[in-house]
Amino acid sequence: MSKKSTRSSKPTEETVVPAAKAPALYKVMFISKELLEDPENELTLEYFYHPGKGKPTLFITKSNTELMEVKEFAEPRRCWLINNDVCSNGRIYMTTPIDITLLALHHIRLHRSQKALALDDIGEADDKSTLRLLREFIRGEEHLRCIADVKKANGMVFYKYNAEKTLAWLAIKTRRVTEKLRSIGVHCGQSAMSKNYVRGELEGENREESDMDYLRMACDIVGDYLDEDLYEELKKYLDIPEEKPLTTAPKKEEKEKGGKKRKSLQQLNSNENKKIKLEDKGKNATDKLKSSGLVDGSPTNDHSRPNSSSSEEVSPLSVVQAPITPSPVKERNLTAKEKALAKSAKGTKSIASFFSKK
Amino acid sequence: MSISLKVRGDTESRNLEVHYLPAKINGNGSTDVSNYFSSYTREGQGNLLTNAIRGFPLNGEIVEVPTTHSSYVLQETEFSNTEKSRNIYVTGNFSNFYYWNYDKIPSNGDAYKQALYLFNISKEFSEPVSETDIQIEIENRRKI
């Protein structure tokens, strides 16, 4: 019992020890200087509901007035060496500005079928982070007038979601992002796949396409902050056609090609079959010729014997190869040839048998 | 749950030498970086640097942190069990760092460089839209 108790106690000690001695876990973060202007202000990392991701994500707030998004840059294989320490977390956490209206939009849309609501009534009572977001960070009219109708009564302000305004607002934002993308020269659309090579081709003929690519990319960026159905509405509003998916389109072609290939293969096979038949016919003809020659005299026997011996050499090969070849699909042609050989061998055998009979 | 970030008074904290390696290391801890890695950094053509890790060649350069941001190394010193309030402290900061690529010269095509476009884009995206712009947009839309 005592042994057991020591055994059971040991692992608990072991689990405690590394936790206490755990090496310092570093994180590298790029913090916007706007947040650092006043060193007295305290920065806080908080979770708020992110409509694009559909779950709470990390934001950074400064003294209940400013809010920024925390984005993670994560390449699959990256790590840091910080002075003499290894940091396995190769991510960079970056703070990026965000229009807080985008965060409010989701909550306002939830109540779109209802009457205008006061800001405090928009968030669910049990959802503290949303209440905090709405109460602390959203400066009522200033942030919401672009997506909602504002009604004032008895000193209270009520908001009702306005779809037309919202789409117009989002469209303006999307166009701005489009312009920005173009001015930066971000590669997008089909050319993005081969950034290192393509540039010259873009300038001329495909200009319109690339305009649409920029717009689509901008819309995707904006859409990352929207509910899915609103994102679809925005795409419709901006007349962005369904993307000819780069991945699926070639597949379709491939499928078609594949179909063609299959057909052509079939045709080839059928051709081969025909050829084989033709050859068979030809052989029959030669057989007939030979048979006709055989009738003439004995010297043909000398010819026929090496033929028959060669056919005997071929036939065991074909027998050996035949059971191996069916498994790999690639060697179908070979099998066809071998079949042909086998058939021809059979033909020659039949000659031999023909001879033996005679 | 919120995490308090203690940056206060650390604006002039110690400057760190930081390498951004193109490798996954499954582990955290101390090692003699200056002796085993940094001292082998060689300067090639231009500002190009070369080094190697475990025999794999590295090409690198010294990269400045974007001017709009300050880069910090953060550390959570103690894990509180309650998880209601956590504190993260600043270990140090750096204004530039060694950016290493595995056998590839650093270029603007690198994921890191591409990611920095994000700052420009999100800034543009976060700019408020004036109400008159929205009205114009709505009217234009109605005409169609």
Side-chain angles (χ1 to χ4, degrees), chain A residues 161-172:
Chain A
Y161 174 69
N162 183 327
E164 195 179 27
K165 264 190 187 177
T166 305
L167 281 173
W169 173 67
L170 287 171
I172 292 168

Side-chain angles (χ1 to χ4, degrees), chain A residues 24 27 29 31 33 42-43 45 78-81 83-86 88 90 95 164 173 175 184 237, chain B residues 3 5 17 19-21 25 28-31 68-70 72 74-75 100 117 125 127 137 141-142:
Chain A
K27 289 182 173 68
M29 191 164 189
I31 302 173
K33 281 181 179 164
E42 194 156 293
L43 299 176
L45 296 168
R78 279 280 170 193
C79 71
W80 294 96
L81 296 180
N83 276 4
N84 276 337
D85 285 315
V86 177
S88 65
T95 65
E164 195 179 27
K173 281 208 173 265
R175 291 200 195 103
I184 295 171
Y237 183 93
Chain B
I3 307 161
L5 199 62
E17 187 185 292
H19 296 269
Y20 198 24
L21 292 185
I25 296 180
N28 296 284
S30 296
T31 182
T68 52
H69 286 64
S70 301
Y72 287 98
L74 308 172
Q75 187 183 354
W100 295 104
Y117 288 138
F125 183 32
E127 291 291 323
E137 171 71 25
R141 184 74 181 179
R142 279 180 183 157

Side-chain angles (χ1 to χ4, degrees), chain B residues 2-3 5-6 8 11 13 23 33 36 38 50 52 61 69 78 81 84 89 94 96 105 113-114 133 144:
Chain B
S2 64
I3 307 161
L5 199 62
K6 311 285 186 188
R8 193 189 306 181
T11 42
S13 55
V33 174
Y36 294 123
S38 313
T50 56
E61 62 182 1
H69 286 64
E78 52 193 30
N81 293 324
K84 277 187 178 172
Y89 295 90
F94 55 95
N96 55 29
I105 292 165
K113 303 279 176 63
Q114 298 270 305
D133 282 352
I144 304 167

Side-chain angles (χ1 to χ4, degrees), chain A residues 30 94-96, chain B residues 66 68-69 115-123:
Chain A
F30 289 3
M94 303 171 172
T95 65
T96 56
Chain B
T68 52
H69 286 64
L116 296 183
Y117 288 138
L118 188 74
F119 294 136
N120 278 321
I121 293 162
S122 60
K123 184 155 179 24

Side-chain angles (χ1 to χ4, degrees), chain A residues 115-185:
Chain A
K115 288 177 184 172
L117 287 173
L119 203 53
D120 283 355
D121 297 329
I122 289 170
E124 299 284 324
D126 54 341
D127 188 355
K128 283 178 186 168
S129 70
T130 303
L131 285 178
R132 184 171 145 71
L133 175 83
L134 295 170
R135 282 182 189 156
E136 304 279 355
F137 295 101
I138 290 176
R139 291 190 284 280
E141 228 185 308
E142 182 193 334
H143 283 137
L144 299 180
R145 65 179 171 216
C146 46
I147 57 167
D149 295 327
V150 184
K151 287 169 189 171
K152 287 176 188 168
N154 302 332
M156 299 269 282
V157 189
F158 299 96
Y159 304 94
K160 171 136 179 75
Y161 174 69
N162 183 327
E164 195 179 27
K165 264 190 187 177
T166 305
L167 281 173
W169 173 67
L170 287 171
I172 292 168
K173 281 208 173 265
T174 311
R175 291 200 195 103
R176 282 185 184 176
V177 174
T178 311
E179 285 310 309
K180 195 75 196 174
L181 287 172
R182 189 176 291 137
S183 70
I184 295 171

Side-chain angles (χ1 to χ4, degrees), chain A residues 243-256:
Chain A
E243 194 170 11
K244 295 170 253 168
L246 279 171
T247 47
T248 55
K251 272 184 189 171
K252 277 181 188 171
E253 281 171 25
E254 274 174 17
K255 275 181 188 172
E256 286 169 8

Side-chain angles (χ1 to χ4, degrees), chain B residues 56 80 133:
Chain B
F56 293 100
S80 56
D133 282 352

Side-chain angles (χ1 to χ4, degrees), chain B residues 3-43:
Chain B
I3 307 161
S4 165
L5 199 62
K6 311 285 186 188
V7 195
R8 193 189 306 181
D10 283 310
T11 42
E12 289 172 15
S13 55
R14 65 185 177 130
N15 209 9
L16 302 166
E17 187 185 292
V18 177
H19 296 269
Y20 198 24
L21 292 185
K24 176 91 199 138
I25 296 180
N26 292 316
N28 296 284
S30 296
T31 182
D32 198 350
V33 174
S34 54
N35 200 12
Y36 294 123
F37 185 77
S38 313
S39 59
Y40 292 95
T41 302
R42 298 277 176 272
E43 201 163 319

